[in-house]
Structures are given as C-alpha cells and as structure tokens.
Amino acid sequence: MDVTLIPIGYGNAVVAERIIAVIAPDSSPVKRLREEAVANGKLIDATHGRRTRAVIIMDSDHVILSALQPETISQRFQGEPAPEPGLEPRVRTKK
C-alpha cells in the first residue's frame, strides 16, 4: 500500500488520501469547527507556535492547524514545489 505524504510545514506531514479540505482559518464556521475539535480531542496543532494560516480537515474528523497558506499546501498536494516559510533567505534593506 503506497502512502503519499504532504508536507504541511516544519517537518510535519499528513496522508494525502485522508485530506477532505484545506481552508483558511478566518471565518466563524471554521472557528467553531476548531473549537469542536478541541472539545473532542481531535485538534492537532502543527504550527510550531506560528500564526495559523490553514486548517486541514481529515476524514477521521481530525482538524490540523498549519502555518502554511492553503495555496501552498494545495500546490504540494498537486506535486508542485513550494518553499517552506522560514527557509527563504532574508534580505535586509536599509531605511
């Protein structure tokens, strides 16, 4: 049985075949979904303390928080390379 893992940031990955949706965390329904997952013990925080930028809904009713943008996760799901935050070189500019 082949398993495809999708990197969701900071060394974390999820099984591609079990993902139902990747959504932005801003709306009220998503916030309620997150609260329900906390109450049911099904919330997985994979942000490493960073801001939540995507919420991944799994077929097991688990809700996974990621610091990557939904577009970035979608690109990885489709096999396109996408940079991981914090790995790009910082460019300092003088003010």
Side-chain angles (χ1 to χ4, degrees), residues 9-79:
Y10 306 104
N12 300 303
V14 295
V15 177
E17 293 80 15
R18 308 224 30 208
I19 295 174
I20 294 176
V22 179
I23 53 180
D26 303 330
S27 70
S28 294
V30 175
K31 290 177 183 175
R32 280 193 298 272
L33 185 66
R34 181 177 174 171
E35 290 170 4
E36 288 176 15
V38 169
N40 294 331
K42 293 205 173 208
L43 181 75
I44 300 170
D45 187 350
T47 62
H48 283 250
R50 276 109 174 154
R51 179 174 169 229
T52 300
R53 296 180 186 265
V55 177
I56 303 167
I57 312 299
M58 306 298 288
D59 64 356
S60 61
D61 291 334
H62 283 85
V63 175
I64 302 173
L65 308 180
S66 174
L68 298 182
Q69 292 286 348
E71 295 83 14
T72 303
I73 296 171
S74 175
Q75 287 173 350
R76 292 179 179 189
F77 194 78
Q78 296 171 7

Side-chain angles (χ1 to χ4, degrees), residues 90-95:
R90 291 189 177 192
V91 178
R92 291 189 176 186
T93 59
K94 293 184 180 181
K95 292 185 180 182

